[in-house]
Amino acid sequence: MSIDSSPSTPETRDADGKLPTVRGNGAPGDHAVAAPPPAAQRGPVANPGRRTTRRRWVIWLCVLMALIVAAILTFPWIHQALVTVSTDDAYVNGHVTSVAARVPGQVARVLVDDNNRVHKGDLLVELDKEPYQIAVDQKKAAVATAKADVAAAIAQVRSLEGQTRSARYKLQHAIDNVDNQIELLKTNVASLDSARAIRKRAQSDVDRAKAILKTGAIAPEEFDRRQQVLAVAEAEVKEALQGVFQTRVSLGLPAQPEGGGDDLSQVPPDLDQTEPSVRQAQYEVLQNAAQLGVEFMFDRTPKEMIAEFLRRDPQGNIDRIYAELLTTAPAVKQAQAKLAQTERDLAQAELDLRYCDVVSEIDGVVTRRNVNPGNNVVAGQALMAVRSLREIWVDANFKETQLANLRIGQRVDLDVDTYGSRHVFAGHISGFTFGTGSTLALLPAQNATGNFVKVVQRLPVRIELDDYDPDKVPLFVGLSVTPHVYVKEPPSGPNAGKVLQPNEILPVPISAASQPSTQP
């Protein structure tokens, strides 16, 4: 083994502190040895410790910068977590209006399809209108007939009015006729009394003449004359008596007063109200008045009946009374009721005709269309649904351990997965569902059956959106939402700070409003 005896020279290392190597001449047994660097490349030797310290400072500076950036980026999330309550069990919800046919028929046209936006009142489906148009024409004819019946009833009532007026005048004439007959009876009785007085005088003259006829103080001719005068007086008495009897019989009285009285002028005090002709005229008035809807008691006298009839008007105006009877007569009211019924039937037929046009009741988007032209639909059959774009809210299911600080009116930030961090929706709590999700389920849990494991319950909390514009950033029903409720801020708005909403003031139905209240 050979030993290199060349003079020793200072070793020159490279930048990494290693010696440069020099290969041998390729002979067997040669080994690579470090070749000394040229003298021109030699310099001061670097300090390895200083270089390591600098490297450490750079690493620590990078770590510090990374921590600062991480703190800046995570501070909003940390701050939000400290001042808010959130849950990931929240979804967008909204009203759905089912569009159904109100009348049966065949579909003529369908003007919309799924996902079409519609406005309130837009025509969605059109049914065949021809059968309903025929029904409307028939009802119009029925209304025209009913109007003619009303006119005929009014004419009939006017005829009855004339008959009633005539019967009333006939009654008055009968009363006046009875009064005249009573006065005539009194006149005839007076004439009878006068004839009797004349007969009595003639009888006295005859008796005196008979007493002095034998003495020759009176001529036989004078005696005959006086007897003739007596006979004439007797005839006049009989004639006057027959006139009295005739008058009494015409008044419905016996020829001779009952009880054998001699006063032939004696009549009942109410004879002008009970006389047969007066009663007959009164019953004619009652018959005609009954057809006009006027009811009288049959035990009333004619004077009482007429006075009661005149009391129907404060001033006793007979013309106004008959004008009122024209509108309240049974025949007219019956005809008017039939007219009202036919008019209601016409209105129903026209309504059914309008119902052939199925329109949208709200602004929204069409979904679940299941109708096509030519289909036969029945009343109440669902044709499609319209989801509202503006009546949108968020149902957030918070844990029962998170509900202690939640109140109505608290501000909420809503992160929707669809938009991510590009848009944050603003809202506020509007109410709490009065029951947890498990109790409101179709099959609620029965914890009293035996084994029980406590599970943290969730309560649906309704969150209303503030300044929501569906035209710019629409929300679709069912989207996942992460709400952040700012429990450290004071609530604002209606019912702020409450848990239960107050009683709503709702309109009272007419039928319920008319009934007396049973509350103390």
Side-chain angles (χ1 to χ4, degrees), residues 37 72 93 99 134 206 251 298 360 400 406 414 469 483 512:
I72 294 174
N93 204 346
V99 179
I134 294 175
V206 170
L251 289 174
F298 283 91
S360 175
E400 55 185 329
L406 298 186
L414 303 171
D469 188 357

Side-chain angles (χ1 to χ4, degrees), residues 121-141:
D122 287 348
L123 181 62
L124 305 180
V125 179
E126 183 178 357
L127 303 181
D128 185 13
K129 298 182 179 180
E130 186 174 357
Y132 295 97
Q133 184 63 53
I134 294 175
V136 169
D137 296 338
Q138 292 175 346
K139 299 303 180 182
K140 286 183 178 179

Side-chain angles (χ1 to χ4, degrees), residues 74-98:
T74 59
F75 177 77
W77 282 274
I78 297 175
H79 178 266
Q80 189 178 51
L82 294 176
V83 299
T84 63
V85 174
S86 64
T87 180
D88 57 357
D89 187 2
Y91 305 93
V92 178
N93 204 346
H95 288 301
V96 180
T97 299
S98 178

Side-chain angles (χ1 to χ4, degrees), residues 41-374:
Q41 295 180 356
R42 296 177 183 175
V45 178
N47 189 356
R50 181 181 301 175
R51 197 174 291 235
T52 302
T53 302
R54 184 181 302 172
R55 185 181 301 173
R56 289 177 180 175
W57 277 105
V58 171
I59 292 174
W60 280 109
L61 183 60
C62 293
V63 171
L64 181 61
M65 293 296 294
L67 292 176
I68 294 174
V69 172
I72 294 174
L73 294 178
T74 59
F75 177 77
W77 282 274
I78 297 175
H79 178 266
Q80 189 178 51
L82 294 176
V83 299
T84 63
V85 174
S86 64
T87 180
D88 57 357
D89 187 2
Y91 305 93
V92 178
N93 204 346
H95 288 301
V96 180
T97 299
S98 178
V99 179
R102 296 189 178 185
V103 293
Q106 187 177 39
V107 178
R109 292 191 302 166
V110 180
L111 291 87
V112 294
D113 203 349
D114 286 339
N115 303 325
N116 289 158
R117 289 190 61 179
V118 294
H119 296 285
K120 182 178 180 180
D122 287 348
L123 181 62
L124 305 180
V125 179
E126 183 178 357
L127 303 181
D128 185 13
K129 298 182 179 180
E130 186 174 357
Y132 295 97
Q133 184 63 53
I134 294 175
V136 169
D137 296 338
Q138 292 175 346
K139 299 303 180 182
K140 286 183 178 179
V143 169
T145 303
K147 288 182 178 179
D149 292 341
V150 171
I154 292 175
Q156 180 183 1
V157 170
R158 290 190 182 278
S159 176
L160 290 173
E161 175 187 344
Q163 295 177 9
T164 305
R165 286 177 182 265
S166 176
R168 178 180 173 275
Y169 290 136
K170 185 177 180 180
L171 173 62
Q172 187 65 42
H173 177 70
I175 294 174
D176 295 340
N177 187 36
V178 170
D179 292 337
N180 292 334
Q181 291 291 329
I182 292 174
E183 296 300 326
L184 179 61
L185 176 62
K186 293 179 180 179
T187 302
N188 292 338
V189 170
S191 298
L192 176 61
D193 292 341
S194 177
R196 285 176 175 175
I198 294 174
R199 184 188 65 177
K200 184 178 181 181
R201 181 178 178 180
Q203 183 67 42
S204 299
D205 291 342
V206 170
D207 291 341
R208 284 193 302 271
K210 186 183 293 186
I212 62 176
L213 178 63
K214 295 179 179 181
T215 62
I218 186 172
E221 294 81 3
E222 179 65 20
F223 179 74
D224 294 338
R225 187 187 65 78
R226 290 186 180 185
Q227 283 186 332
Q228 184 178 4
V229 171
L230 177 60
V232 172
E234 288 285 352
E236 289 180 352
V237 168
K238 291 181 180 180
E239 180 181 3
L241 185 59
Q242 291 299 323
V244 171
F245 288 162
Q246 181 181 2
T247 305
R248 289 181 62 86
V249 171
S250 65
L251 289 174
L253 301 174
Q256 292 290 340
E258 297 179 357
D262 295 335
D263 188 5
L264 296 177
S265 63
Q266 180 183 358
V267 295
D270 58 346
L271 181 61
D272 60 344
Q273 303 295 305
T274 60
E275 198 270 336
S277 61
V278 174
R279 284 295 188 182
Q280 182 180 1
Q282 180 184 7
Y283 291 145
E284 290 182 3
V285 173
L286 290 174
Q287 181 180 3
N288 294 324
Q291 298 181 30
L292 293 176
V294 181
E295 296 181 357
F296 292 111
M297 300 296 294
F298 283 91
D299 58 348
R300 301 290 176 87
T301 64
K303 288 183 179 180
E304 294 174 348
M305 186 181 68
I306 293 175
E308 181 181 351
F309 183 75
L310 294 177
R311 282 197 296 268
R312 298 176 69 93
D313 183 76
Q315 286 76 32
N317 191 320
I318 192 69
D319 294 329
R320 283 202 298 264
I321 293 175
Y322 280 116
E324 180 184 358
L325 292 178
L326 181 63
T327 60
T328 59
V332 174
K333 294 180 69 175
Q334 183 179 7
Q336 289 176 343
K338 291 182 178 179
L339 175 60
Q341 180 64 39
T342 56
E343 288 177 343
R344 284 193 292 269
D345 293 341
L346 175 60
Q348 182 63 47
E350 292 175 342
L351 184 63
D352 292 342
L353 179 61
R354 291 196 299 270
Y355 283 162
C356 290
D357 293 333
V358 182
V359 299
S360 175
E361 299 296 334
I362 61 172
D363 296 341
V365 178
V366 176
T367 60
R368 300 200 304 266
R369 169 191 159 177
N370 56 359
V371 63
N372 293 299

